[in-house]
Amino acid sequence: MSKTQIQLELGGRKITLVGTAHVSKESVEEVKQSINELKPDCVAVELDEKRAASIQEADRYSQLDLVKVFKRKEGFMLLANLILASYQRRMGLNAGVKPGDEMLAAMDAANELGVHCELVDRPIQITLKRAWGKNSFWGKGKLFATLLASAFEKEQIAPEEIEKLKERNEMDSMMSELAEYMPVIKEVLIDERDRYLASKIWSAPGSNIVAVLGAGHLPGVQAWLEKLAAGSANADTEDISVLPKSSPVLKIIGWLIPLCIIGLIIAGFVYGGVHAGTQMLSTWFLYNAVPAAILTAVACGHPLAILVGFLGAPFTSLCPFIGIGFCTAIVQAIVCKPKVSDMETLQDDVSIKGFYKNRILRALLVFILSSIGSTIGTFAAGADIIGILSHI
């Protein structure tokens, strides 16, 4: 029995947990060997339907409709997905494997044996949206900064360092650091998924199950499986399979800020006359328009996207339902429609140079930077308008 395997006898069933490093050549071989030796009647893999399809389809990004992504307000989710996938891809370069190769090996081995393959992970979109939604404003900032840092990280990890990720002491150290720096992320990405994975493995058919999981999930999944077997927990995961409800306070603030700005401008006209009111309006317009347009230009946005950023930001800043990033990104995606080559090299292009070269990534950059510009302008304009009103 490998040190990265845990064999459990629970409720008259044999469940073997095989821990892997997601970009490890050794893990790929171990997965194949374990399944062939244990001859299970069910193989469970740490994938959801979309991720399973993505590693089986080399041209998965050829079907990407960027405009629909922005209309569904999934621009940030796509960016996060790409950065994480690109980071794992770079980690596996020296090892000669691609992210998910061990899961693909597990599915292929199950198919060769003619046994059922169960996808037991929570949908990646739910996980990312819960991680984002449960975070505070400060937590969101740290998450975004961490994602950007990983996107531009060029250091490659040696194969022997990757193999260490499967060792318990290495994983414990990493989990402790993650829990300390971003506790909500650790809760959503690790703790919640430990429970979800264990519940789906427990519900999988068969009396001899091999579950292929990232090594970091082994302790948590084992603990939850033992609870399920003892009857001290149930396999219902509905509460962690839905998006977190938006805080009513945040909704109120989302409306309160634009209403306050409108109220201040009206007060300017009432108490300061046409001159003061007009000054406030022009302040609001320029403070929103200029940063949004400048940062859209910094992203090398199309001139039409820059114009939309300039004209639209003062109005979208007053509407909680739509942001200027949504508008500029859609214009960018329509005017500079991605080519097949952009889709083929998408993951490899996640770098400073790639964000400007690849049309998909440039549209995402336009989305992010124009949104940041408008946000900066909103707070700057609000402060200046209050200053004008205080002098009336």
Side-chain angles (χ1 to χ4, degrees), residues 284-294 296 305-319 322-325 327-328 369-378 381:
W284 175 256
F285 187 92
L286 291 175
Y287 273 52
N288 268 275
V290 172
I294 288 175
T296 303
I306 296 172
L307 180 62
V308 167
F310 183 83
L311 296 177
F315 300 100
T316 57
S317 296
L318 296 173
C319 178
I322 187 171
I324 192 59
C327 302
T328 55
L369 292 188
S370 60
S371 299
I372 292 174
S374 182
T375 301
I376 292 171
T378 296

Side-chain angles (χ1 to χ4, degrees), residues 52-292:
S54 73
I55 66 173
Q56 291 174 308
E57 300 169 8
D59 63 341
R60 58 192 178 277
Y61 286 117
S62 64
Q63 307 300 319
L64 180 65
D65 188 327
L66 199 54
V67 173
K68 286 185 179 179
V69 168
F70 290 122
K71 285 183 177 179
R72 292 194 301 263
K73 298 183 179 180
E74 294 178 354
F76 179 79
M77 294 302 113
L78 174 60
L79 180 62
N81 256 323
L82 288 171
I83 290 175
L84 291 172
S86 175
Y87 182 70
Q88 282 195 325
R89 190 182 182 93
R90 291 199 303 273
M91 284 180 66
L93 285 177
N94 286 345
V97 295
K98 300 187 295 295
D101 272 359
E102 85 283 15
M103 300 298 169
L104 188 58
M107 291 188 286
D108 288 342
N111 186 53
E112 289 171 7
L113 291 175
V115 301
H116 177 69
C117 184
E118 187 83 359
L119 305 179
V120 295
D121 201 3
R122 183 170 60 184
I124 184 65
Q125 294 294 340
I126 296 294
T127 296
L128 290 174
K129 286 180 179 179
R130 282 183 65 83
W132 184 256
K134 293 189 71 173
N135 252 306
S136 63
F137 178 79
W138 175 240
K140 286 181 172 69
K142 288 201 293 185
L143 174 58
F144 186 63
T146 302
L147 284 171
L148 286 181
S150 65
F152 302 131
E153 175 60 62
K154 290 301 180 183
E155 182 182 359
Q156 293 186 359
I157 301 177
E160 55 269 22
E161 293 297 319
I162 292 174
E163 296 305 327
K164 285 184 181 179
L165 296 178
K166 295 187 289 185
E167 297 176 10
R168 182 66 58 86
N169 59 340
E170 291 286 339
M171 292 307 304
D172 288 347
S173 176
M174 287 179 64
M175 291 304 102
S176 297
E177 289 179 11
L178 181 61
E180 184 178 344
Y181 183 61
M182 289 188 289
V184 173
I185 298 301
K186 194 261 182 182
E187 176 191 344
V188 175
L189 266 61
I190 306 298
D191 299 340
E192 287 187 359
R193 287 177 62 228
D194 284 347
R195 176 186 160 198
Y196 190 98
L197 290 164
S199 297
K200 296 306 177 183
I201 292 169
W202 185 252
S203 302
S207 57
N208 180 14
I209 299 171
V210 170
V212 181
L213 313 167
H217 289 293
L218 291 188
V221 169
Q222 178 184 357
W224 275 105
L225 284 171
E226 290 170 348
K227 289 179 184 177
L228 289 165
S232 58
N234 62 64
D236 182 16
T237 58
E238 185 177 354
D239 60 312
I240 56 172
S241 301
V242 295
L243 300 181
K245 292 182 179 179
S246 300
S247 168
V249 174
L250 292 178
K251 288 183 178 180
I252 291 171
I253 292 175
W255 279 106
L256 193 59
I257 291 176
L259 288 175
C260 285
I261 293 296
I262 293 171
L264 288 171
I265 293 174
I266 291 173
F269 277 104
V270 172
Y271 297 106
V274 174
H275 176 73
T278 303
Q279 186 181 2
M280 286 182 177
L281 275 177
S282 61
T283 294
W284 175 256
F285 187 92
L286 291 175
Y287 273 52
N288 268 275
V290 172

